[in-house]
Amino acid sequence: MFELCASILAADFAHLSRDVQTAEAAGVDAFHIDIMDGHFVPAISFGTGMVRTMRSLTHKPLDVHLMVDRPLDFVAELAALGAERVSVHAEVPGGPGEALAAIRAAGMQAGLVLNPETPLETATPYLPQIGQLLLMTVQPGRGGQPYLPGSNARIAAAKAMLATAPHPVTIQVDGGITARTLPGAYQAGAGSVVSGSAVFAGPIAFNVRALRYAI
């Protein structure tokens, strides 16, 4: 299994419809939407309005990454807007358990996100609730960062840990994914990758082909 999620954080917002349609035609599997509140991470990106816009532009799955202090506040609206997957951070105040349960109850797939410094074992209590484990391979909150050294070993360790999960859990990686870094992440066990600049910076169709060819 391999899924390429195009992060719209790197798209040209003056021509968003064009970029989304070009990426979809080129073969991306899903679109990744980062919602940042300026508290959990310093940056502010999109609100739920971007999910509404994206739902009108594509029928591909919408993979929403909540970098917010209060993820539970977003769940009902994201479900109403048609998001398929919603991932929340293990590091949120009070823990992610209530938000993960709400995501599942709303009919969406729940994902858990771990920051680079968060031990993998933090995910263990939540494995029955999630279908996706998102490993950050950069520090969250800013696009265009380089892939962190040691990320492939961490992905491989996560794959070994997930062998005992009660059901299959996809490893997704986000940050610094390019045609150069993708092969190592994929071979280590990543089934889904999020790529922004490597998709949208330059000729999109060529970029998508290069990423797929890399594996």
Side-chain angles (χ1 to χ4, degrees):
M1 171 202 167
F2 172 70
E3 177 187 65
L4 175 59
C5 293
S7 174
I8 62 164
L9 194 64
D12 180 350
F13 298 123
H15 302 96
L16 182 61
S17 177
R18 178 203 65 190
D19 279 10
V20 168
Q21 291 169 10
T22 303
E24 182 170 330
V28 302
D29 300 299
F31 289 96
H32 187 83
I33 305 171
D34 290 311
I35 295 179
M36 308 179 197
D37 64 0
H39 297 283
F40 184 77
V41 292
I44 297 174
S45 60
F46 313 121
T48 54
M50 181 56 80
V51 179
R52 179 182 294 106
T53 296
M54 286 296 296
R55 187 74 291 163
S56 72
L57 296 178
T58 181
H59 295 294
K60 292 288 186 180
L62 300 182
D63 183 58
V64 179
H65 177 186
L66 291 177
M67 289 181 255
V68 300
D69 273 345
R70 298 168 59 90
L72 194 60
D73 293 351
F74 292 79
V75 172
E77 187 174 5
L78 290 173
L81 292 173
E84 281 80 9
R85 299 197 302 256
V86 179
S87 295
V88 300
H89 276 260
E91 303 87 3
V92 295
E98 192 174 357
L100 292 172
I103 292 164
R104 286 164 50 87
M108 299 179 290
Q109 184 188 84
L112 182 69
V113 191
L114 299 182
N115 283 342
E117 69 279 3
T118 301
L120 293 175
E121 294 74 19
T122 305
T124 302
Y126 306 106
L127 294 183
Q129 294 179 269
I130 64 173
Q132 178 170 281
L133 179 64
L134 170 50
L135 301 179
M136 295 302 301
T137 45
V138 298
Q139 291 299 327
R142 180 169 57 87
Q145 300 178 68
Y147 194 71
L148 284 172
S151 292
N152 292 342
R154 182 169 165 85
I155 295 166
K159 182 180 179 181
M161 179 186 75
L162 292 174
T164 62
H167 56 254
V169 177
T170 299
I171 297 174
Q172 185 179 72
V173 297
D174 183 1
I177 292 295
T178 66
R180 181 181 61 81
T181 59
L182 173 54
Y186 177 71
Q187 291 165 14
S192 175
V193 299
V194 176
S195 186
S197 299
V199 170
F200 290 114
I204 294 171
F206 175 85
N207 291 343
V208 172
R209 287 194 300 270
L211 287 166
R212 290 202 170 278
Y213 181 77
I215 64 165

